[in-house]
Amino acid sequence: MMKKVLVALSAAVLAAITTGSASSATAQDPVTYHHHVQGKGSPCKGLAGCTYVQLKGDPKAGPSEAMFTLKAGTPFSPHWHTSPEHVVGVSGTMLWNVKGHKKTYRVGAGDFLYYPGEAVHWGRCAPGADCTYYVFDELPYDFHAATR
């Protein structure tokens, strides 16, 4: 229960920080709710074992938020995005690498990882449990394959 509260709080704080502040909300901003169901979502292009749910924003036009799920053991190849990315772990453990950093970041429930735009990153969902994580992109979403 505490992990769920921590994850929800982390996501709310992240959203407030990355969109300016909570006080910038207006009466016209709709209430958004998504009940996450493990294994439900749209397939990720080019990555078997991955699904995502678009939570808020239009990834083609500007800032957006999405929830991704990878099957246990699923790797993702080196790539980069124009936008900086803000990642909050929800469940499972992601093993995340960022080019130029020797450390492998273990992103589990409630953990936060940020990397700047154009940072090449890759990794995998650790064996044993599917991984779900929240991503906020400040700019329109794009995907560029890279080599390590």
Side-chain angles (χ1 to χ4, degrees):
M1 177 68 167
M2 188 60 149
K3 282 187 178 182
K4 286 184 180 182
V5 171
L6 178 59
V7 169
L9 180 59
S10 297
V13 169
L14 174 64
I17 290 169
T18 57
T19 58
S21 73
S23 64
S24 67
T26 67
Q28 287 77 22
D29 285 341
V31 171
T32 303
Y33 172 79
H34 172 73
H35 176 73
H36 182 73
V37 178
Q38 194 79 2
K40 300 290 183 185
S42 301
C44 301
K45 287 186 180 178
L47 182 56
C50 175
T51 58
Y52 75 97
V53 175
Q54 196 62 46
L55 299 173
K56 195 166 183 202
D58 180 354
K60 295 178 183 174
S64 64
E65 300 171 71
M67 191 84 72
F68 291 84
T69 299
L70 292 180
K71 293 284 185 194
T74 300
F76 61 96
S77 60
H79 65 280
W80 59 275
H81 313 279
T82 301
S83 179
E85 287 198 316
H86 308 254
V87 179
V88 176
V90 175
S91 64
T93 301
M94 291 292 294
L95 305 174
W96 219 289
N97 299 285
V98 179
K99 187 173 183 176
H101 298 260
K102 293 181 180 182
K103 180 177 181 170
T104 295
Y105 299 97
R106 296 181 62 83
V107 180
D111 292 336
F112 173 76
L113 176 64
Y114 166 87
Y115 42 89
E118 302 185 16
V120 174
H121 54 283
W122 66 96
R124 67 185 175 105
C125 175
D130 292 352
C131 297
T132 299
Y133 56 99
Y134 162 91
V135 176
F136 172 75
D137 285 300
E138 297 177 25
L139 303 172
Y141 180 83
D142 56 11
F143 180 94
H144 304 276
T147 60
R148 290 186 194 169

